[in-house]
Structure formats: structure tokens, C-alpha cells
């Protein structure tokens, strides 16, 4: 299976949906922030490994705690994925923090500040 095939895209979407459900509803670890979202998932074409990009709304300490909690619950998450998704192999998940949402919010604030200064100078 090729990396950008339709089948791989469907598997990525299904794993992302199930992973979000598992993190939101089934993990009881207090380290995991309730405002954790799965941004993207990349399953390897051989279905052996998976990269999950997550985003946490909060400070850096909360993000680090959430990442530690997810890494400790990796076996449970993989077991739940195996039960809910019918795949030949259940991928081994590696979690990565995705800072793109925070970066976008920060850039939006900076753009607003600049445009506000331009509007103030023009009046």
C-alpha cells in the first residue's frame, strides 16, 4: 500500500477518530488534560507504526504531563484500537506534540496588534 493511497487515507481517518474517542472517554489518567485533541495521524503503509500528533490547550507543563500520561497508557490504547478497528496489524503508536494551533493563535494576535497600530496611525 502506498503512503498517499485512498486506503491509507481512510485508515488514517479511522485511527484518528477512534484514538480521539479513546483519549476522551476511556483513559482515566489525571495527567491527561481534558482539552486534548488529536490533530493528525499517520499510519505507515505496512500498518506497523503510527505517528499521532496531539494538541493540548494549556501551558507547557500540562502538555508535558499529557504526553507522559499518553505514553504510559500506550498499551491500553493499542489494545482498545485492536478491538475497535479491524486491521491486519495494530500499529504501535508514537505520540508527538503539535504546536501548530498555538503557533497560529500567536501569529493571529501579532497580526491583530500590527493592524490595530496601523488603524490608530491612520485616524
Amino acid at each position: 500500500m502506498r503512503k498517499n493511497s485512498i486506503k491509507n487515507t481512510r485508515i488514517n481517518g479511522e485511527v484518528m477518530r477512534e484514538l480521539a474517542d479513546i483519549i476522551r472517554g476511556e483513559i482515566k489518567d489525571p495527567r491527561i488534560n481534558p482539552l486534548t485533541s488529536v490533530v493528525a495521524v499517520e499510519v505507515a503503509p505496512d500498518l506497523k507504526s503510527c505517528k499521532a500528533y496531539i494538541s493540548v490547550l494549556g501551558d507547557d507543563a500540562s502538555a508535558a504531563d499529557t504526553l507522559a500520561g499518553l505514553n504510559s497508557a500506550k498499551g491500553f490504547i493499542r489494545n482498545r484500537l485492536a478491538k475497535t478497528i479491524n486491521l491486519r496489524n495494530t500499529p504501535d503508536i508514537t505520540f508527538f506534540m503539535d504546536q501548530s494551533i498555538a503557533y497560529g493563535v500567536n501569529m493571529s494576535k501579532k497580526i491583530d496588534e500590527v493592524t490595530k497600530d496601523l488603524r490608530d496611525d491612520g485616524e
Side-chain angles (χ1 to χ4, degrees):
M1 178 172 55
R2 287 178 284 141
K3 185 174 182 179
N4 293 326
S5 69
I6 294 171
K7 181 179 177 184
N8 198 358
T9 304
R10 275 188 295 152
I11 289 172
N12 288 344
E14 186 66 23
V15 170
M16 186 169 104
R17 191 174 319 110
E18 290 298 327
L19 189 59
D21 288 342
I22 291 168
I23 290 172
R24 184 178 351 103
E26 297 183 28
I27 297 178
K28 305 295 185 215
D29 193 336
R31 293 178 290 181
I32 297 175
N33 190 327
L35 298 174
T36 300
S37 60
V38 180
V39 177
V41 170
E42 294 176 3
V43 179
D46 62 354
L47 304 176
K48 300 273 186 191
S49 64
C50 169
K51 294 179 183 178
Y53 298 94
I54 60 166
S55 177
V56 177
L57 186 62
D59 57 349
D60 290 338
S62 175
D65 288 343
T66 299
L67 193 60
L70 288 173
N71 283 326
S72 69
K74 200 181 286 191
F76 173 77
I77 294 170
R78 188 172 181 194
N79 185 11
R80 296 301 299 161
L81 273 178
K83 290 180 180 177
T84 57
I85 298 177
N86 187 16
L87 291 175
R88 180 179 42 222
N89 298 318
T90 304
D92 184 35
I93 303 169
T94 306
F95 293 102
F96 295 99
M97 290 305 296
D98 184 41
Q99 302 296 335
S100 63
I101 295 174
Y103 178 77
V105 169
N106 187 22
M107 290 305 291
S108 178
K109 286 180 183 177
K110 289 181 180 181
I111 290 171
D112 289 343
E113 289 174 7
V114 169
T115 56
K116 180 180 177 258
D117 291 341
L118 290 176
R119 279 184 276 155
D120 292 343
D121 292 341
E123 293 177 4

